[in-house]
Amino acid sequence: MVGATRGFSRYPSSPSSGSPGSVTPMGAPGTMATTLLDVIRGLAGSSVETIERGKTIFFPGDPAERVYLLRRGAVRLSRVYESGEEITVALLRENSLFGVLSLLTGQRSDRFYHAIAFTRVEMVTAPATSVRRAIEQDASVGLLLLQGLSSRILQTETMIETLTHRDMSSRLVSFLLVLCRDFGVPGTEGITIDLRLSHQAIAEAIGSTRVTITRLLGDLRNDGLVQIDRKKITVFDPIALAKRFS
């Protein structure tokens, strides 16, 4: 259930099959595949930015002037509704592309999401105008962006599925399984989520409260399903965890 699926694997594919997010330009046989990182980093006006945990990258309504490629850490995308409720729509992992809606509309547009650093993050960013110019000059760049956007859409769909659980314990379990898949590192004891997560951060991601998350994680730990050490969560057996709350 938490095995790597296409577009979500934390680990790169073998060189023989080509890595996700890479394209060998047509007419250039034998050349090294170009990655999305290569493209964004090589554009005019590109830069590397580091954002501390909890800091906003952009707010809803901000001008969509730059495109972002996440290199390290995790970024939370959310929508804020008139009621004041904020709903997580995606939790992005490394090599995720975001901030590209202005490219799809073909004109400058405003941000639809609130993007916040879920952990300390490192990003490569470039002006939207430079990205659009690169697409016009090389169709393979557009294919790279489409692949990156497709992965983002899948992440959004997964997060929506997680939040459809009305029972908060089921919602938490579903969220932990997503984290295992996207940020999990296999070890002798199970799958360790490679993020330092406070109870408050988890609560904000799934629409709960810190008190509730503390209680539910305590229940999972008492049942022998998870271990928590210095804000890192290890799931001993993801399949058993999924079955326990299915």
Side-chain angles (χ1 to χ4, degrees):
M1 182 170 181
V2 294
T5 56
R6 190 168 186 85
F8 281 91
S9 174
R10 179 174 172 77
Y11 306 101
S13 304
S14 61
S16 61
S17 61
S19 59
S22 64
V23 169
T24 301
M26 295 180 64
T31 61
M32 184 176 295
T34 300
T35 67
L36 195 52
L37 174 62
D38 295 331
V39 171
I40 300 298
R41 193 162 48 188
L43 295 176
S46 68
S47 63
V48 176
E49 299 181 24
T50 300
I51 308 293
E52 297 301 322
R53 183 182 66 82
K55 299 296 184 182
T56 290
I57 299 169
F58 55 76
F59 288 101
D62 283 353
E65 297 175 338
R66 300 188 74 83
V67 170
Y68 303 84
L69 181 66
L70 181 59
R71 293 297 298 134
R72 288 179 178 81
V75 169
R76 177 186 173 217
L77 297 184
S78 62
R79 289 289 303 271
V80 181
Y81 294 90
E82 293 182 0
S83 63
E85 185 179 16
E86 187 168 4
I87 301 297
T88 301
V89 297
L91 188 62
L92 308 182
R93 57 179 174 81
E94 58 193 39
N95 296 321
S96 292
L97 183 73
F98 62 107
V100 297
L101 288 181
S102 60
L103 299 178
L104 299 180
T105 60
Q107 59 187 3
R108 178 172 171 173
S109 61
D110 293 334
R111 299 294 186 195
F112 290 92
Y113 301 119
H114 181 196
I116 189 169
F118 196 64
T119 65
R120 187 175 188 268
V121 302
E122 178 186 311
M123 308 177 297
V124 179
T125 81
T129 52
S130 294
V131 178
R132 189 178 301 112
R133 191 177 305 117
I135 294 173
E136 294 170 350
Q137 295 173 351
D138 187 347
S140 66
V141 174
L143 179 57
L144 281 172
L145 290 170
L146 181 59
Q147 291 173 340
L149 183 59
S150 297
S151 178
R152 245 274 286 118
I153 292 172
L154 288 173
Q155 288 169 314
T156 299
E157 291 178 346
T158 301
M159 200 66 209
I160 291 173
E161 290 175 2
T162 296
L163 295 176
T164 56
H165 295 290
R166 294 184 179 181
D167 175 60
M168 195 55 67
S169 61
S170 297
R171 189 181 295 188
L172 173 62
V173 166
S174 181
F175 184 61
L176 291 177
L177 293 174
V178 169
L179 293 178
C180 282
R181 185 190 60 192
D182 290 353
F183 300 94
V185 177
T188 56
E189 294 185 332
I191 306 294
T192 297
I193 298 168
D194 192 21
L195 298 171
R196 294 190 182 276
L197 298 170
S198 68
H199 294 184
Q200 181 64 36
I202 297 174
E204 291 174 354
I206 64 174
S208 185
T209 65
R210 182 187 59 78
V211 172
T212 298
I213 295 303
T214 298
R215 175 177 58 81
L216 293 176
L217 284 174
D219 292 341
L220 294 178
R221 182 168 47 194
N222 293 337
D223 290 341
L225 295 168
V226 304
Q227 172 182 288
I228 304 173
D229 181 26
R230 299 177 184 177
K231 295 186 178 181
K232 281 201 173 184
I233 300 173
T234 297
V235 176
F236 296 127
D237 185 345
I239 295 177
L241 180 63
K243 288 182 177 178
R244 173 70 170 78
F245 290 91
S246 61

